[in-house]
Amino acid sequence: MTTVLDNLAQKISGQLDIIYRDVDIDLDYAGFAQELIELMQISVSVKSPEPYKNHWSEQDIIMITYADSLIQEGQLPLVTLRSFMNQYLGSSVNSVHILPFFPYSSDDGFSVIDYSSVNEAHGSWFDIRAIANERRLMADVVINHCSSRSMWFENFIKGSGTGHDYFFTCDPNVDTSKVVRPRTSPLLRPTMTANGEKHVWCTFSHDQVDFDFRNPAVLAQFVKIFRQYLDAGVTIFRLDAVAFLWKALGTTCINLAQTHEIIRLLRSLIEHAEPNAVIITETNIPNTQNLTYFGNANEAHCIYNFSLPPLLINTLITGNCLHLKRWLMSMPPAQNGTTYFNFIASHDGVGLRPVEGILSEDETDSLISTMQSFGGVISWRSTPDGKQKAYEMNIALVDALKGTVDGADEFGFERFICAHAIMLGLEGIPGIYIHSLLGTNNDYEKLNHTHHNRSINRRRWHQHLLDEHLQNEDSQHARILQTMRKLIDIRKAQSAFHPNATQFTLNVGLSLFGFWRQSLDRKQSIFCISNITKDVQIVPVSELNLIITESWFDLISGDEIDSFNQQLTLAPYQTVWLTNTNE
């Protein structure tokens, strides 16, 4: 009798064949499949994962933070973070994405020295588990590269020991002009080893050395890492920079078929080990390419909606939602078992590649110059023809939205809240950066200290100073956190805001941005309409096609619709969430 485990082994074996068939190695697919299943500790009593199951609901809000975004003298940062969440967020935010909390050498954690340890300066696995016991925990698997100071790379230099054959090397005379990269540094790093000089592939920096997944031992090592993180309470895995995983000379070395198959293989293993685990792929690439990481509901459970941040910011600084509206209309509904991960700000900058083909060059240039006028800085990448092109805009969101293309104005707070009201209503799971919850401004001191553009939006708050701000109701930080929590709590109570609830874009002109959501059981509808300009806008209720046999009201203000002949008056950057009272 064929068991679930037998079927899994057969499936994994087939996936390994797709991945390694063109690699010149002698690999027993069936035997290696069994090894991976054992490394993931999948038992003979395993049940088949339920297909197309949604592992999320409207209750899910993910806060994105570094382990040490908050520091307090005499206390480990992970302890401080946990205390902050319990004191200031309560039940409003039920999930947290703690950015790499491992020992690292650069890139604020994304150059991992040791995947199996917690950075002692942050805390311990005990602290990680304590957070995971209270909130759903999302962690990074930095799967494309590791630190050049890792033991694995030291063994590569020595030519023996674990890791000596983990890294991708290339003849410097080979043509790599087609390779797509997000950085301007040289691709190859000359490194003297016990076996002579080697040129190590470095997609991001020379301190971030790329793995060679053509070696099955690398895949096995990462399966061990996933298992360890599951044991620590991690249930959401963010696959960092995964689009660059597989390299093949003569190609772009991005989004290759083997990369997609490795993600599918990892999902096969993880969902049999933990049925409620979720994989999110971090692929900061043009939108059409990004969508491919859903596969056929057999790859990533969630993909980052990378086009949303630049398009939403562009909408609010221009007062015109044409591109945001067209983009939303073009986005396919995520089938059950998959959804979008929505965000406006993160530890990284606002990527510009996802709006290639959406915004014109002139519109992109205008967006860039406006962000620069608000104190932002720009990061660049090298194109295959050797030119420099803007890759991302580095700026705190509260500063990015403090004005329009005409300059700063008095509507910064309203514009900032409007952006989040739009994001919280959209199909998908909302991710909110801790510095958006706190209304943190550009950190020029850190930028000048590190000379890394992304530092401008990676402030470390001293908890006692933050407490002073948050306990002053008139401070920007307290106002933003209080208003954000109110919006979040309203959102979480609406079944029509389920990440997979129906969504249609409304045709309400270009000065208003609107969409309609309907719950999976069709009992609740919500019309989400935002004034994306600094002028008062009028919305005739008759144009919204509300069902006249039901009564309607705005979830945010509490105002009722008294007559279907009335007009809604929206103040600058005001959002209404109009719902029927049948919920």
Side-chain angles (χ1 to χ4, degrees), residues 47-109:
K47 295 181 179 179
S48 295
E50 183 180 338
Y52 306 108
K53 180 179 180 181
N54 296 322
H55 300 288
W56 42 78
S57 74
E58 61 276 10
Q59 296 286 318
D60 290 307
I61 307 286
I62 301 177
M63 182 182 76
I64 306 163
T65 182
Y66 280 101
D68 60 348
S69 290
L70 308 169
I71 54 177
Q72 183 168 313
E73 189 174 351
Q75 190 173 73
L76 291 167
L78 283 169
V79 176
T80 305
L81 175 63
R82 181 185 173 204
S83 298
F84 164 81
M85 291 190 292
N86 290 335
Q87 179 179 354
Y88 288 108
L89 303 182
S91 60
S92 297
V93 176
N94 69 344
S95 306
V96 59
H97 171 201
I98 305 179
L99 292 153
F101 45 80
F102 318 104
Y104 70 97
S105 55
S106 63
D107 199 16
D108 280 353

Side-chain angles (χ1 to χ4, degrees), residues 425-444:
L426 288 172
E427 173 189 359
I429 300 171
I432 305 177
Y433 191 33
I434 188 171
H435 292 302
S436 294
L437 284 170
L438 299 176
T440 307
N441 292 100
N442 290 333
D443 189 343
Y444 298 112

Side-chain angles (χ1 to χ4, degrees), residues 488-499:
I488 289 168
D489 289 343
I490 293 171
R491 181 210 193 265
K492 292 177 63 173
Q494 317 307 319
S495 59
F497 283 149
H498 185 284

Side-chain angles (χ1 to χ4, degrees), residues 410-473:
E410 71 273 26
F411 295 113
F413 175 82
E414 291 80 6
R415 196 178 290 110
F416 181 85
I417 296 302
C418 178
H420 287 91
I422 291 172
M423 189 263 285
L424 286 167
L426 288 172
E427 173 189 359
I429 300 171
I432 305 177
Y433 191 33
I434 188 171
H435 292 302
S436 294
L437 284 170
L438 299 176
T440 307
N441 292 100
N442 290 333
D443 189 343
Y444 298 112
E445 182 179 348
K446 188 170 185 179
L447 174 64
N448 292 333
H449 176 71
T450 66
H451 302 293
H452 294 148
N453 286 353
R454 288 177 170 177
S455 295
I456 198 171
N457 194 28
R458 295 179 178 180
R459 177 173 180 174
R460 283 193 184 97
W461 274 102
H462 289 275
Q463 187 64 53
H464 71 276
L465 180 60
L466 181 60
D467 287 337
E468 290 178 11
H469 286 295
L470 295 181
Q471 289 161 17
N472 175 8
E473 294 182 359

